[in-house]
Amino acid sequence: MFRGAISIWRRDMLVLRRSIVSELVSVIAYPLTLYLAFGVGLKGYISDVDGIPYAIFIAPGLISMTAVNAAFDESAWSMWFHRKVQRTIEEYRVTPITVYDIVIGKIFCGFSHGAIKGIAVALVIFLLTPFRFQLLHILTYLFFIFFGSMIFSCLGTICGTIIDKPENIGRMQGVVIVPLIFMSGIFFPLSSYPAAILPFINSLPTTAIFEGARRALLSGSIEYAYALTIAATAAIVFALAVIIFDRKIEE
Amino acid sequence: MNSAISLQSISKFFNGLQAVKDFSLDVERGTIFGLLGPNGAGKTTLIKILTTLMRPTSGDAVIGGYSVLREGKSVRRIIGVVPQENNLDRYLTARENLVLHARMHGIRAGEYNPRIDRLLELTGLTGRQHDFPDTFSGGMQRRLVAIRALVHNPLVLFLDEPTTGLDPQSRRALWDYIQSLRTTMTIFLTTHYMDEADALCDRIVIMDHGKALVDGTAAQLKEAFAHAHVYELEFRANSDRYEEILRTLPFVAHFGRKGNRFRLELADEESLKPLMDRIGSADIKGICLHEPSLEDVFIGLTGKKVRE
Ligand SMILES: Nc1ncnc2c1ncn2[C@@H]1O[C@H](COP(=O)(O)OP(=O)(O)OP(=O)(O)O)[C@@H](O)[C@H]1O
Ligand SMILES: [Mg+2]
């Protein structure tokens, strides 16, 4: 059972291991720059948010953002690359595994990238922040990172499966993924939104991931509405990714 | 039920275009079967259907007793595939490519390692096994793809233009190897090299526009084309005079000339005697029946026009 998925996952982890240093440097550079610019550089200009220093307020969002972006990137580009460039998916498909093995293996690869890179950024930011988070808070926070990575890995897999032109994957990230992430309040509290659109913002899965993660890390609390949104979204996008891959690949 | 591969009325449409038309075929176990045809004839489409990469629009195929429609996984357990275009993983070394393939087949390391060693040895890739395939020449990559298809010891091997891009030495080495496999395997290959089909295949089908045109051994196909009554005629002298005579003969359907050599196409077999009566034997240096090559058969069936 899932022999194929495990083989594919091991292959991707082997490839990741070979380039882990450069991968981590490039993936940490961006959130770290944002953290230093906003959290440290602009510190004097931005007041505390609900009594929390701004640098600490944005830290969980930056970590989550790194994780979900890495998951999406890996899944979308890897699926596209193996499907259109290397055509390795075709090689996988003439061995006695199922299409479910392939898509599930790929989803877990994206998830692993997200989780590893998110944790790496978390370690760096935690080292730079004088504030010490409680272990229990960090564990609940990991729940959100894991599910967030899972959801974005499935979304990436869907994009990499249905989009044939690489520039369109880039557009998808710019027009859909990045706005969704920023709208869910990485850099500002949700209370900044007009009351009229707040229910809509709150119902977004990305809000559940980012705001839920922040509350988990800062206060250790799990918002059950957010957790429910995340679990339901994960189930739906996972099923969608599997179904779409199955349809598309059979031609 | 001794056929290794059995195609039952396979059709494949690509939005409007019918790439394969109601194709039926049985290939006996232990055969080296060659599928020939011009570009776009539908060879690769057929192989993709037989290897479960593509679903036929209608019809079914049975490989080693398993239906490609309903028992894809069982089919894939017993087949090896060399696709038309190399699909190696350039982020894995040559050996890792082979190992991944073995793992997908659920083979244990104790079993696949010696087998991989032997296949690498056989194709002269042992020294390069820890290099990445994009540092390989085209021929080396092709050989790697070929042995990857053999790691799990398949019963039926599909080769889509296996020797394209290989030098004559590698080509012959691969032929020899394919020949040596035939005792245990059924081999289904496509090729554009007529000499390859001639040398290698027990049975040949030439297809075009999604349909089979002829089916038989290389000798049978040539035989069927031999009564085209084509003769090669060579004169010692006076060739210009003979050309005038040939032009007037009603039973010479066509002729071509290169110096003293003529190539004649006669209306039928009975025309040979009246021809000899007219030209006599004084100046004739030689006359022989032209043996058609497989290429003549191919061109005769599929025409000279280049496909778009
Ligand atoms: N995925 C596809 N979508 C649309 N049309 C296709 C597709 N694959 C093949 N075709 C068409 O089907 C026909 C048969 O193609 P196929 O690749 O099977 O030819 P072939 O005999 O392998 O040719 P070649 O010798 O050039 O490899 C062609 O007209 C081709 O354009
Ligand atoms: Mg082809």
Side-chain angles (χ1 to χ4, degrees):
Chain A
M1 200 45 191
F2 291 120
R3 179 185 73 227
I6 293 166
S7 304
I8 290 171
W9 180 82
R10 282 176 65 181
R11 176 260 170 219
D12 279 31
M13 292 305 108
L14 170 67
V15 172
L16 173 64
R17 205 155 64 225
R18 287 210 175 107
S19 58
I20 188 73
V21 174
S22 63
E23 289 256 4
L24 286 184
V25 167
S26 66
V27 88
I28 290 172
Y30 178 59
L32 199 60
T33 310
L34 291 177
Y35 179 76
L36 294 176
F38 290 104
V40 181
L42 291 176
K43 195 163 65 181
Y45 300 90
I46 303 174
S47 54
D48 292 359
V49 180
D50 304 329
I52 301 165
Y54 189 65
I56 293 172
F57 178 80
I58 61 171
L62 287 175
I63 297 164
S64 307
M65 180 184 77
T66 309
V68 303
N69 261 337
F72 180 89
D73 261 1
E74 170 61 21
S75 285
W77 290 107
S78 170
M79 181 57 86
W80 174 79
F81 182 77
H82 284 271
R83 203 168 55 82
K84 298 297 288 184
V85 183
Q86 271 193 174
R87 297 174 186 276
T88 355
I89 298 283
E90 255 184 35
E91 149 65 8
Y92 298 164
R93 285 185 57 222
V94 295
T95 64
I97 63 169
T98 63
V99 284
Y100 305 112
D101 276 301
I102 300 175
V103 64
I104 291 169
K106 279 298 179 194
I107 288 172
F108 273 91
C109 295
F111 161 78
S112 305
H113 273 252
I116 291 169
K117 290 169 184 173
I119 288 170
V121 173
L123 288 177
V124 173
I125 289 184
F126 289 170
L127 282 178
L128 291 177
T129 316
F131 194 85
R132 286 288 155 259
F133 298 100
Q134 288 176 24
L135 185 63
L136 187 67
H137 295 190
I138 293 178
L139 289 180
T140 43
Y141 178 63
L142 282 180
F143 165 86
F144 286 92
I145 289 211
F146 282 3
F147 271 87
S149 297
M150 200 63 195
I151 289 171
F152 275 76
S153 177
C154 293
L155 290 176
T157 301
I158 293 172
C159 289
T161 301
I162 56 179
I163 299 176
D164 286 342
K165 295 210 174 109
E167 58 270 28
N168 287 340
I169 296 180
R171 286 183 189 132
M172 189 73 183
Q173 280 176 299
V175 177
V176 180
I177 302 297
V178 173
L180 261 182
I181 291 175
F182 274 73
M183 270 163 66
S184 51
I186 296 186
F187 296 106
F188 53 85
L190 292 180
S191 55
S192 309
Y193 276 111
I197 61 165
L198 199 54
F200 166 71
I201 295 291
N202 255 322
S203 68
L204 290 176
T206 40
T207 307
I209 294 170
F210 284 91
E211 190 59 23
R214 170 183 292 144
R215 290 187 195 174
L217 188 63
L218 298 185
S219 71
S221 67
I222 290 195
E223 294 276 331
Y224 288 102
Y226 285 154
L228 205 67
T229 307
I230 289 175
T233 309
I236 292 168
V237 291
F238 182 79
L240 272 182
V242 172
I243 292 166
I244 289 172
F245 182 79
D246 186 33
R247 289 275 161 81
K248 166 94 181 186
I249 222 69
E250 292 267 306
E251 292 185 313
Chain B
M1 215 344 284
N2 202 29
S3 44
I5 306 169
S6 171
L7 286 74
Q8 297 150 4
S9 310
I10 295 228
S11 289
K12 178 71 185 179
F13 285 88
F14 292 113
N15 28 30
L17 175 107
Q18 190 170 6
V20 177
K21 295 176 186 157
D22 198 28
F23 205 105
S24 295
L25 175 77
D26 277 278
V27 179
E28 235 178 272
R29 204 159 286 164
T31 313
I32 301 184
F33 175 86
L35 185 61
L36 275 50
N39 291 146
K43 305 179 296 296
T44 299
T45 305
L46 261 184
I47 286 198
K48 285 194 171 170
I49 291 170
L50 296 179
T51 55
T52 77
L53 285 173
M54 229 180 229
R55 286 184 160 267
T57 312
S58 63
D60 192 4
V62 177
I63 314 287
Y66 301 111
S67 150
V68 294
L69 288 184
R70 292 182 312 277
E71 299 159 295
K73 203 167 162 180
S74 303
V75 169
R76 293 193 291 272
R77 204 181 305 283
I78 59 165
I79 61 170
V81 184
V82 174
Q84 186 167 354
E85 278 169 48
N86 295 342
N87 54 0
L88 292 163
D89 193 329
R90 65 189 75 160
Y91 287 92
L92 296 181
T93 64
R95 190 179 186 95
E96 286 164 354
N97 266 282
L98 302 176
V99 168
L100 177 60
H101 183 90
R103 285 203 185 128
M104 299 285 231
H105 273 272
I107 306 173
R108 279 170 300 107
E111 204 175 326
Y112 66 65
N113 275 325
R115 211 176 144 70
I116 288 175
D117 288 337
R118 211 156 48 76
L119 288 167
L120 286 167
E121 189 66 48
L122 198 85
T123 42
L125 290 173
T126 307
R128 300 291 305 271
Q129 60 176 309
H130 299 301
D131 294 341
F132 292 91
D134 52 1
T135 65
F136 285 14
S137 75
M140 290 162 73
Q141 292 187 21
R142 201 70 189 142
R143 276 181 270 161
L144 183 58
V145 174
I147 59 173
R148 188 185 60 188
L150 294 167
V151 166
H152 58 289
N153 224 341
L155 292 177
V156 182
L157 183 61
F158 291 93
L159 305 155
D160 200 351
E161 299 186 25
T163 58
T164 301
L166 293 188
D167 60 25
Q169 288 87 345
S170 312
R171 216 146 75 84
R172 262 149 226 276
L174 193 61
W175 291 2
D176 287 345
Y177 190 59
I178 292 174
Q179 294 272 19
S180 74
L181 293 172
R182 73 123 64 76
T183 48
T184 53
M185 281 180 210
T186 307
I187 295 163
F188 187 111
L189 63 86
T190 76
T191 180
H192 287 300
Y193 299 112
M194 299 300 143
D195 57 336
E196 181 163 300
D198 211 343
L200 212 53
C201 298
D202 305 314
R203 180 174 165 202
I204 293 169
V205 162
I206 299 181
M207 75 179 292
D208 200 6
H209 304 297
K211 280 210 289 252
L213 302 175
V214 283
D215 181 350
T217 63
Q220 283 167 346
L221 300 192
K222 287 186 242 175
E223 173 70 25
F225 258 65
H227 46 248
H229 331 298
V230 182
Y231 290 86
E232 315 237 354
L233 190 58
E234 194 175 354
F235 295 101
R236 266 188 210 96
N238 304 321
S239 293
D240 290 339
R241 191 162 63 77
Y242 286 111
E243 184 175 344
E244 288 309 308
I245 297 174
L246 288 172
R247 210 183 287 285
T248 64
L249 299 178
F251 47 81
V252 175
H254 276 291
F255 73 91
R257 177 182 170 186
K258 242 188 223 154
N260 290 334
R261 286 169 171 275
F262 288 80
R263 187 181 152 114
L264 309 179
E265 202 176 304
L266 303 185
D268 51 43
E269 276 166 43
E270 276 68 57
S271 311
L272 186 58
K273 190 169 179 309
L275 174 74
M276 297 312 288
D277 290 345
R278 286 300 306 270
I279 57 179
S281 58
D283 290 327
I284 290 186
K285 188 174 172 194
I287 179 164
C288 66
L289 186 65
H290 172 77
E291 287 279 344
S293 67
L294 202 52
E295 186 146 340
D296 293 326
V297 179
F298 186 89
I299 295 286
L301 283 167
T302 58
K304 282 191 174 160
K305 199 168 151 279
V306 173
R307 301 306 156 88
E308 71 268 346

